[in-house]
Amino acid sequence: KQEVTQIPAALSVPEGENLVLNCSFTDSAIYNLQWFRQDPGKGLTSLLLIQSSQREQTSGRLNASLDKSSGRSTLYIAASQPGDSATYLCAVRTEDTGRRALTFGSGTRLQVQP
Amino acid sequence: GEEVAQTPKHLVRGEGQKAKLYCAPIKGHSYVFWYQQVLKNEFKFLISFQNENVFDETGMPKERFSAKCLPNSPCSLEIQATKLEDSAVYFCASSQAINEQFFGPGTRLTVL
């Protein structure tokens, strides 16, 4: 059974810092990995999707990497801003002929101090 | 539409009452997923559909939960005889084949 872990559970940084959020998964046979952002009381916004054959994806100040063999992904946020404050979730789609649902980590709650 | 739509936004039910949630997937997406988010951001997969057919229901509590995706109608998730522990935010997502999933804004169910 796929399990996804995110470390740290919470993070508080001053504005302008670069930071790394970590995600690990137990079953390396994945289709893809998706990073989401969730604001309090809101839905999920997809940030980046990395296919299993890819090593990284970039969007603006965000860079996500994937090391499938070691079961790890990182989300790098450059020059953090107070508007980046949210919970960040990673989710994997396991390579299984039947299931296409996502398995989520429990998230990292990020607070960027102005 | 271009976004996954979910209604209602909030739903309050007394314990034992029925609750019905709706989801309109993005036009052209064949797959619909339902997830339940409880405390501490824990997402639990409930059920998925490929068009109107159940694709995977391994996460569904069979006794009280049911779901449908009928042609030309929003998908629905129904909870018979709600319990306190059913209080959660229910998210619907849609996708095309194995591409990324797009999530709706969720329905917050509160069972009193």
Side-chain angles (χ1 to χ4, degrees):
Chain A
K1 180 189 169 187
Q2 180 73 272
E3 291 182 3
V4 180
T5 304
Q6 289 188 246
I7 294 172
L11 184 61
S12 181
V13 300
E15 183 177 4
E17 266 202 15
N18 302 325
L19 56 101
V20 174
L21 308 181
N22 296 292
C23 172
S24 61
F25 45 94
T26 55
D27 185 347
S28 61
I30 62 169
Y31 272 134
N32 57 41
L33 183 146
Q34 203 167 346
W35 281 94
F36 293 92
R37 168 187 174 137
Q38 185 175 31
D39 293 282
K42 304 287 186 183
L44 298 177
T45 301
S46 180
L47 297 173
L48 291 164
L49 171 72
I50 311 178
Q51 301 293 349
S52 61
S53 58
Q54 297 176 318
R55 288 289 226 166
E56 65 178 324
Q57 283 285 341
T58 298
S59 176
R61 294 182 293 108
L62 305 179
N63 175 277
S65 67
L66 174 64
D67 184 343
K68 187 181 165 184
S69 60
S70 68
R72 292 179 185 175
S73 176
T74 60
L75 178 67
Y76 175 82
I77 303 176
S80 57
Q81 303 170 358
D84 295 331
S85 299
T87 295
Y88 291 80
L89 295 143
C90 80
V92 300
R93 179 178 284 130
T94 301
E95 191 168 42
D96 183 281
T97 53
R99 291 195 59 173
R100 298 225 167 95
L102 295 172
T103 302
F104 282 84
S106 54
T108 293
R109 192 170 63 255
L110 173 65
Q111 183 73 36
V112 180
Q113 307 290 346
Chain B
E2 294 296 319
E3 294 181 339
V4 177
Q6 288 189 250
T7 56
K9 190 172 181 178
H10 299 285
L11 191 57
V12 179
R13 288 289 180 266
E15 202 171 6
Q17 291 184 318
K18 184 172 72 175
K20 195 164 185 178
L21 293 62
Y22 297 91
C23 168
I26 293 173
K27 192 175 180 182
H29 283 190
S30 304
Y31 294 90
V32 172
F33 303 81
W34 284 99
Y35 295 88
Q36 179 193 55
Q37 185 182 28
V38 291
L39 296 174
K40 298 182 181 179
N41 301 318
E42 292 178 8
F43 275 81
K44 179 188 173 188
F45 165 72
L46 295 175
I47 189 169
S48 62
F49 289 84
Q50 182 178 12
N51 298 310
E52 63 266 27
N53 303 308
V54 174
F55 192 65
D56 183 349
E57 56 182 349
T58 51
M60 276 293 258
K62 295 280 173 53
E63 303 83 26
R64 299 180 296 108
F65 284 61
S66 63
K68 293 179 185 177
C69 274
L70 300 176
N72 303 313
S73 297
C75 296
S76 64
L77 175 69
E78 189 168 346
I79 308 172
Q80 301 285 343
T82 52
K83 296 183 178 181
L84 295 176
E85 63 259 32
D86 298 332
S87 294
V89 182
Y90 292 83
F91 286 99
C92 172
S94 71
S95 72
Q96 197 170 35
I98 57 171
N99 293 337
E100 65 186 296
Q101 291 186 12
F102 295 88
F103 281 73
T107 293
R108 181 176 295 277
L109 172 65
T110 302
V111 181
L112 303 175

